[in-house]
Amino acid sequence: MYNQTDIIKDTTNLGPEGELVVNMGPQHPATHGVLHLVVTLNGETIKKIEPHLGYIHRSIEKMCESLTYRQFIYVTSRMDYLSSHINNTACALLVEKGMQIEVPERAKFVRTILNELTRIASHELWIGAMAMDLGAFTPFFYAFREREMITDIMEDTCGARLTMNYIVPGGLMYDIHPEFQTKVKAFIKQFKEKVTEYEDLVTGNIIFQSRTKGVGVLSAEDAISYGCSGPVARASGVSCDIRKIAPYDAYDRVEFDEIIETEGDSFSRYLVRVKEMNQSIRIIEQLIDNIPEGEFVGKTKNVLKLNKGEFYQRVETARGELGVYIVSEGATTPHRIKFRSPGFSNLSVLDHIAKGSKIGDLMATMGTLDLVIPDIDR
Amino acid sequence: MTNEEIKAYISSHLPEASFDETGEWLNIIIPPTSLRSIATVLLGQPMQMNFLFCLTCVDNKTHLTMVYHLTSMKNRSINIVLKANLDRQNPVIDTLSDLWRTAEFHEREVFEMFGVNFTHHPDLRKLILEDDFKGFPLRKDFEDPINMIKL
């Protein structure tokens, strides 16, 4: 964080080499949250970017230390609020691993479908918001038209439209809504018809291409060294999809491609996400008609106690690799819990890839990193 | 490489390293002074553990434990957990931010939350908390009568 006196700088008093320090955020419209970047400029060229975090820090890790294994899942929905179902899956899988709980097939299939729907919803919001940052207004409405259908499905299943809580240790909280399958199929039909619309609008757009191609280039070596994951790393040619490396739930039973681009610039990161949405649809199509009948939650004890030891669970969220690390001492609450959030590592690369570019390009670079601030601050 | 091969390889470089195989992945417990040398060995050929996917600290009440989760992008099935126990009164350990760049931000977080000092870190300042924040919030003995509600 910063001292109050540092934030207001006399702009007429420039640095040794004509440097100007600009505070971007924490209330900047393009940071989509309370991210504060202190950007050192020389003319229009970026010399240094320093992120200041903590405006939405709730100390979720400390809170979880005093919550039981049934309670702490609900806090994680507030972490990366665009992938709540995926965060919940990570925690549920970890508790199941620590207690050797058998999860029914039905729950596994529904979880996978919900995870992929969440991924599409997150990418839809991202595509709209990023296009708006770059000056295109229409893609936002187009993307939200389809996203609305997903939020309706989420509302049917668990009652909430944003911070969903439906996945619990052992399976699901309730059985699926009777109209779940029909609604998901209707969504798939509409998505397939309409996805070309905003692809035509954005992907082939010459203004969009010239603003993103060759901007914010990240090499494969740097992506690995900075701990990048998800679409950011895959756009640089690094294969890092946890769904392929360590399949969980029903991912080992579906066929899908890991999207890898090699350019590493903002445009590749955009392409990876758009192509990923189509792969998610492919996964849902394989599962939606084959949801097995049976129980939706496995047999669990009323009080959950993890075995003594250490557990780590990785899942692939819309932004990359989410890791949950728990040190258990055999009690009802965790001794220490750590969330390895994808956004935190992806943010750390921003200074490296935006250095030397123009301040106007920072929007494209930051937009394609897909930062969600509550996920970074935790 | 199997766990046995990794154990033999690490022991040849650092005889005092001890191993723990009770968890999901192989744990290597090393003295904090030899962290950098063993990190260089793990990063180099033939192991190439080039992806540091989790860096954190655990307060074990008697001592602090630094925990590093490493994997190789060449072979993601090999995962290693590197651990070093630190003195609780004066925790000091070398930085790894020049070997894995991601460690820079993670170490800053551990610095403010646990009070671990990383020597030779390029920019060891608070990242999330305010500059005048007193105490280390993620330590077990941290008390905050206003914001922490005890049930």
Side-chain angles (χ1 to χ4, degrees), chain A residues 75-116:
Chain A
V75 187
T76 58
S77 296
R78 276 84 186 157
M79 217 163 54
D80 180 352
Y81 54 83
L82 293 179
S83 340
S84 343
H85 275 318
I86 311 183
N87 295 351
N88 293 354
T89 309
C91 301
L93 284 168
L94 190 131
V95 176
E96 283 150 15
K97 190 193 272 179
M99 294 186 63
Q100 286 102 35
I101 299 170
E102 275 291 318
V103 184
E105 287 292 291
R106 186 178 177 81
K108 284 187 182 177
F109 274 60
V110 175
R111 275 185 192 185
T112 313
I113 294 168
L114 286 174
N115 280 5
E116 290 311 312

Side-chain angles (χ1 to χ4, degrees), chain B residues 102-151:
Chain B
T102 180
E104 188 179 328
F105 266 45
H106 281 94
E107 282 176 354
R108 277 176 72 179
E109 197 190 353
V110 170
F111 164 71
E112 63 186 346
M113 295 293 177
F114 288 93
V116 177
N117 279 306
F118 294 92
T119 46
H120 309 301
H121 190 282
D123 187 19
L124 199 60
R125 286 177 301 128
K126 285 190 170 156
L127 180 68
I128 291 169
L129 301 174
E130 297 144 37
D131 275 350
D132 51 358
F133 193 92
K134 293 276 189 307
F136 307 114
L138 281 180
R139 283 200 186 189
K140 287 286 173 188
D141 55 1
F142 178 76
E143 293 285 338
D144 186 343
I146 296 162
N147 297 314
M148 272 171 76
I149 303 160
K150 285 234 168 103
L151 296 175

Side-chain angles (χ1 to χ4, degrees), chain A residues 57-223:
Chain A
H57 180 66
R58 294 143 296 172
S59 205
I60 284 180
E61 289 172 12
K62 186 82 176 176
M63 272 159 78
C64 289
E65 284 177 15
S66 52
L67 296 175
T68 66
Y69 291 111
R70 282 203 193 280
Q71 292 170 332
F72 88 107
I73 281 190
Y74 305 111
V75 187
T76 58
S77 296
R78 276 84 186 157
M79 217 163 54
D80 180 352
Y81 54 83
L82 293 179
S83 340
S84 343
H85 275 318
I86 311 183
N87 295 351
N88 293 354
T89 309
C91 301
L93 284 168
L94 190 131
V95 176
E96 283 150 15
K97 190 193 272 179
M99 294 186 63
Q100 286 102 35
I101 299 170
E102 275 291 318
V103 184
E105 287 292 291
R106 186 178 177 81
K108 284 187 182 177
F109 274 60
V110 175
R111 275 185 192 185
T112 313
I113 294 168
L114 286 174
N115 280 5
E116 290 311 312
L117 284 176
T118 313
R119 194 182 315 280
I120 297 171
S122 170
H123 285 346
E124 297 247 26
L125 190 142
W126 165 81
I127 198 175
M130 196 206 63
M132 200 158 71
D133 290 347
L134 295 181
F137 206 69
T138 321
F140 189 80
F141 295 115
Y142 280 27
F144 264 61
R145 183 184 54 200
E146 269 78 65
R147 192 176 180 272
E148 199 60 25
M149 294 189 81
I150 301 180
T151 33
D152 283 345
I153 295 170
M154 299 300 182
E155 198 181 354
D156 282 350
T157 32
C158 60
R161 292 168 72 86
L162 193 66
T163 47
M164 294 86 79
N165 288 114
Y166 182 59
I167 292 158
V168 292
L172 307 168
M173 204 185 272
Y174 305 107
D175 206 350
I176 49 171
H177 193 269
E179 282 179 22
F180 179 73
Q181 275 153 308
T182 343
K183 283 203 170 179
V184 171
K185 276 181 206 160
F187 163 71
I188 294 174
K189 191 165 167 283
Q190 162 141 5
F191 183 86
K192 279 187 162 175
E193 279 170 17
K194 306 284 184 180
V195 71
T196 47
E197 271 186 14
Y198 42 83
E199 268 203 70
D200 289 346
L201 203 61
V202 182
T203 315
N205 190 322
I206 191 74
I207 301 169
F208 179 79
Q209 284 196 6
S210 53
R211 283 204 66 182
T212 50
K213 273 191 177 167
V215 170
V217 181
L218 174 65
S219 70
E221 291 75 34
D222 288 333

